[in-house]
Amino acid sequence: MLVRWVIRRVFRDVPTWIKVVGVVAILAYVGWYNFLRMPTGGSLVGHKYIERPIYSYWVNDNWGGNGGVTCCWSFSGDTAEVVWIYGRTVEEFERGDEQERHSVTLPMPKRTREDRYLHVYFLPDNRVELEWSPSLGSPLEGELEQEYSQDD
């Protein structure tokens, strides 16, 4: 009751056309934000087509773990910096071998409004490919399975 009274007092001298423009502007913003804006959030899904284990990886500083799916990251920009560290055996660790760290900057793949998962493919010769998809299913699985045998 008090809220209605305050709103009426504040807006009683505002012309109707300004009220209408204000409401239309708010509705347009809400519509754009919820239905037309390209999403920036997503999850990382790691796939490896190499024999060496991936200890950890990042895409634009978003951690991808060492396999599986990590969630709720923000992706923006036209490029993606992928950084990864290979796992070490017990013998390598005990010898004090340094971690083998690599990085590559790639163009961010095209994305649709439905895409929620950024798939990161680790390939032989320290190559990496990225692809968006709306589901957890690998969009490049058929193509890469023919070329490489998956080692998980």
Side-chain angles (χ1 to χ4, degrees), residues 44 54-58 62-70 73 85 122:
L44 284 172
I54 302 292
Y55 172 69
S56 207
Y57 74 95
W58 298 263
N62 298 308
W63 182 65
N66 60 358
V69 179
T70 60
W73 303 116
I85 299 171
F122 296 96

Side-chain angles (χ1 to χ4, degrees), residues 18-130:
I18 291 178
K19 293 177 193 174
V20 170
V21 167
V23 168
V24 168
I26 290 170
L27 291 175
Y29 176 76
V30 169
W32 168 80
Y33 188 83
N34 289 317
F35 303 110
L36 300 175
R37 181 181 62 99
M38 185 61 77
T40 58
S43 299
L44 284 172
V45 183
H47 307 273
K48 65 184 198 76
Y49 289 85
I50 56 177
E51 291 186 24
R52 295 185 67 187
I54 302 292
Y55 172 69
S56 207
Y57 74 95
W58 298 263
V59 177
N60 289 351
D61 295 325
N62 298 308
W63 182 65
N66 60 358
V69 179
T70 60
C71 174
C72 310
W73 303 116
S74 179
F75 299 98
S76 59
D78 296 333
T79 61
E81 181 186 24
V82 181
V83 177
W84 69 100
I85 299 171
Y86 285 118
R88 293 182 288 175
T89 64
V90 173
E91 294 81 22
E92 291 170 332
F93 181 78
E94 288 174 349
R95 277 195 315 255
D97 291 358
E98 292 291 320
Q99 289 182 324
E100 190 175 336
R101 183 183 189 104
H102 297 273
S103 69
V104 64
T105 301
L106 303 167
M108 186 62 84
K110 297 293 182 200
R111 183 177 189 183
T112 66
R113 287 190 43 74
E114 295 78 28
D115 290 337
R116 299 288 181 259
Y117 299 93
L118 180 58
H119 295 264
V120 183
Y121 300 93
F122 296 96
L123 305 171
D125 301 322
N126 294 323
R127 292 183 303 123
V128 175
E129 288 191 29
L130 302 172

